[in-house]
Amino acid sequence: ALRRTLSRWAPVAATTVAFLATGNLMRFSGMARALAGAAASLGKAYVVVAPWVGALGGFTTGSNAGANAMFAAAQAEAARRLGFAPEWLVAAQNVSASLLTMASASRLALLVGLVGNGPTLAGVTRQVLATDAVVLSLWSAAMAFLAWR
């Protein structure tokens, strides 16, 4: 049982460590600052885009921890440069990344596999992405309200 557990745990642990290493590399190499500078150059309009950046991280990694390791520091720095509350931009990052992990290929394939004879992967993907787009749009609108109030 221990051997089976370790064989299942090892890939997950390795992936998580890789995400954290990537996040630290981005932070310590100055990449997070560079991304924050580019984001801040958009002005307050960036706070509307910020949830979509978090969503991209969640979608591509399939992991909230991975997305936050890669982008949360840049989001916080962008907020500081814009004079916007960093906790709001990091919250947008976190919520959006979590939301789009549902649309990651591995999670949708698992869902379709567990359900069996039912929905197709393409159909489920369309439904999840459409729902996520609506929620992200609402989150972006909330961020705009906070930025321009």
Side-chain angles (χ1 to χ4, degrees):
L2 179 61
R3 191 173 324 151
R4 275 194 321 264
T5 300
L6 289 175
S7 70
R8 291 180 181 170
W9 172 80
V12 174
T15 303
T16 303
V17 167
F19 288 142
L20 294 173
T22 300
N24 280 318
L25 178 66
M26 289 175 69
R27 189 169 141 230
F28 292 117
S29 70
M31 186 184 290
R33 270 190 309 282
L35 288 172
S41 72
L42 296 175
K44 283 187 178 181
Y46 178 70
V47 300
V48 175
V49 176
W52 298 86
V53 172
L56 178 65
F59 179 77
T60 57
T61 64
S63 162
N64 187 41
N68 286 332
M70 290 192 302
F71 295 128
Q75 296 273 35
E77 180 63 24
R80 281 190 277 284
R81 290 182 185 201
L82 292 170
F84 191 74
E87 59 272 13
W88 280 108
L89 225 52
V90 172
Q93 161 68 35
N94 187 46
V95 170
S96 301
S98 294
L99 179 68
L100 262 287
T101 61
M102 291 187 297
S104 67
S106 59
R107 291 186 187 220
L108 291 177
L110 176 63
L111 168 71
V112 170
L114 289 173
V115 171
N117 294 335
T120 65
L121 182 58
V124 171
T125 301
R126 276 192 302 275
Q127 287 179 325
V128 170
L129 286 175
T131 302
D132 288 351
V134 169
V135 174
L136 281 171
S137 296
L138 293 171
W139 190 240
S140 289
M143 295 301 288
F145 172 77
L146 290 172
W148 282 283
R149 63 181 169 123

